[in-house]
Amino acid sequence: MSKKEEPKQPGKYGVDLGERGIYDTRNKLNELTGKEWVYFTNSVWITGYSPTARENVGLKYRKIHPSPKPPALLKEIIEFFTKSGGKVLDPFAGVGGTLLGAALAGGGREAVGVELEQKYIDAYRKVCEKENIQEMTMLRDDARNLLAHPEVSDTVFDLVVADPPYSDMMAKERTGQRKKLYKDSSPMPYTDQDCDLGNMALEDFYEALRDIMGKCFTRLKPKGYMVIFCKDFQPQPGAPNLLHADIVRELGEIPGLVYRGMRIWHDQAMSLYPFGYPYSFVMNQIHQYILIFRKEV
Ligand SMILES: C[S@@+](CC[C@H](N)C(=O)[O-])C[C@H]1O[C@@H](n2cnc3c(N)ncnc32)[C@H](O)[C@@H]1O
């Protein structure tokens, strides 16, 4: 924020937090100052955490997973969309990027994750143990059953974060690239189970995603946010594969859930590969969409 935009005096509702800027006591969403808030709203987000940095805590255990998210990225998301004591739900928890992010955010925030695959849950727990990080609730189940768990059905969540697998397109594409990224990771997208959304045909995938996100929606507080990671796929003749736009359309069918915008995350740790070279253009997609929805009831 420029000096011009930042109020110099705290004013009636402001609390001066020094270098951090001015906190507005009317802020119902988070504990950020004005300048921290505005910084987060930048539509492009660039990260390049080194594999050994604290921000990437426990990567040596988490890299058995094909696409673990940096806990520091989730920490920032959680700090923007919750206050201290906030509760976060992740229906596709993997090796716990969101749960670790909640622990790093601190302030008594808590997270509940649901994950199909035991080995990913074990890796998450190992990170907590080895790195002395608060362990959150991780449930092993198909996320379509998440309301059967009292940890979910008895809680009102401030934020839902979802990083779903994207239908069997994922299984068909880029497996070679992913193997190169994390040589210890599983060769299949995530699991070999039929209820893994990564193994479903597109229409079944959309239905399962709407079902799961609709169930999460019932546990989200009014005006609470839902944040969904998504990557497009390579355009094909007759199929532009703008998956992020399709996800916005599909989740728009959940009454009361409204799309509010996106951030594009550029992960500088991604390598470039010579797909298509030297014959045709094939994109190296090194960004992901972070789609942001709100419960408008
Ligand atoms: C993109 S990964 C999530 C990675 C996670 N954000 C992290 O940082 O580790 C998607 C995860 O969803 C899990 N999954 C797929 N289908 C599921 C289902 N029906 N219920 C619960 N988890 C599922 C996969 O096993 C995979 O670990």
Side-chain angles (χ1 to χ4, degrees):
M1 186 184 277
S2 74
K3 280 192 176 138
K4 235 174 164 182
E5 293 156 332
E6 170 78 0
K8 284 200 172 61
Q9 298 303 322
K12 189 174 166 194
Y13 299 105
V15 178
D16 192 341
L17 296 183
E19 282 294 299
R20 285 186 54 198
I22 292 165
Y23 176 73
D24 189 319
T25 52
R26 291 168 298 180
N27 182 342
K28 287 199 167 65
L29 182 57
N30 56 41
E31 290 158 357
L32 302 183
T33 64
K35 68 179 179 185
E36 290 167 339
W37 177 303
V38 174
Y39 180 75
F40 184 91
T41 60
N42 184 341
S43 63
V44 179
W45 199 344
I46 301 174
T47 67
Y49 307 119
S50 110
T52 52
R54 179 73 183 158
E55 290 86 346
N56 233 335
V57 65
L59 183 61
K60 78 173 173 192
Y61 305 111
R62 292 185 296 109
K63 71 180 184 182
I64 61 152
H65 192 282
S67 62
K69 292 287 174 294
L73 180 75
L74 276 304
K75 170 182 181 282
E76 283 187 54
I77 291 173
I78 291 166
E79 284 175 343
F80 188 86
F81 291 109
T82 69
K83 284 179 176 277
S84 290
K87 304 220 179 325
V88 186
L89 174 62
D90 181 347
F92 305 102
V95 284
T98 303
L99 276 59
L100 293 166
L104 295 178
R109 291 174 175 88
E110 288 175 7
V112 177
V114 184
E115 168 57 46
L116 267 184
E117 180 62 52
Q118 188 61 44
K119 70 179 176 201
Y120 299 150
I121 297 177
D122 293 343
Y124 162 68
R125 292 194 172 132
K126 187 139 198 167
V127 175
C128 295
E129 183 199 322
K130 297 284 182 192
E131 303 287 343
N132 198 18
I133 288 180
Q134 182 194 351
E135 190 178 317
M136 304 284 170
T137 305
M138 183 70 111
L139 306 167
R140 184 180 180 196
D141 205 346
D142 177 346
R144 288 176 294 190
N145 303 327
L146 55 79
L147 293 177
H149 297 269
E151 295 89 339
V152 176
S153 57
D154 293 351
T155 305
V156 175
F157 291 91
D158 299 273
L159 172 66
V160 174
V161 178
D163 178 20
Y166 281 102
S167 106
D168 66 354
M169 282 190 285
M170 192 79 169
K172 287 177 196 147
E173 295 204 22
R174 309 267 188 94
T175 308
Q177 180 191 2
R178 286 160 7 112
K179 270 187 197 156
K180 281 180 209 153
L181 274 177
Y182 295 114
K183 64 179 170 36
D184 305 330
S185 69
S186 30
M188 277 293 288
Y190 297 109
T191 75
D192 55 7
Q193 301 181 47
D194 290 344
C195 60
D196 179 339
L197 271 69
N199 297 332
M200 291 181 185
L202 195 56
E203 284 312 314
D204 298 334
F205 160 79
Y206 283 142
E207 192 182 325
L209 186 68
R210 277 197 314 269
D211 177 41
I212 293 167
M213 300 321 292
K215 285 171 178 156
C216 291
F217 179 84
T218 66
R219 303 313 313 146
L220 186 62
K221 72 175 185 187
K223 308 282 185 215
Y225 285 84
M226 205 179 250
V227 172
I228 301 182
F229 283 83
C230 166
K231 203 165 179 175
D232 284 345
F233 293 94
Q234 192 62 36
Q236 304 291 343
N241 281 342
L242 295 169
L243 193 67
H244 74 280
D246 294 341
I247 298 296
V248 171
R249 184 198 62 223
E250 291 293 325
L251 297 187
E253 290 187 19
I254 299 173
L257 187 65
V258 176
Y259 172 66
R260 298 296 299 252
M262 69 164 78
R263 295 192 72 187
I264 291 174
W265 171 42
H266 169 192
D267 180 5
Q268 284 188 320
M270 294 285 286
S271 306
L272 297 179
Y273 294 89
F275 305 126
Y277 175 81
Y279 301 110
S280 64
F281 171 78
V282 179
M283 72 174 162
N284 257 292
Q285 195 180 175
I286 54 168
H287 68 278
Q288 294 198 23
Y289 300 91
I290 299 176
L291 305 172
I292 298 164
F293 299 79
R294 188 161 84 149
K295 182 169 182 168
E296 298 291 357
V297 287

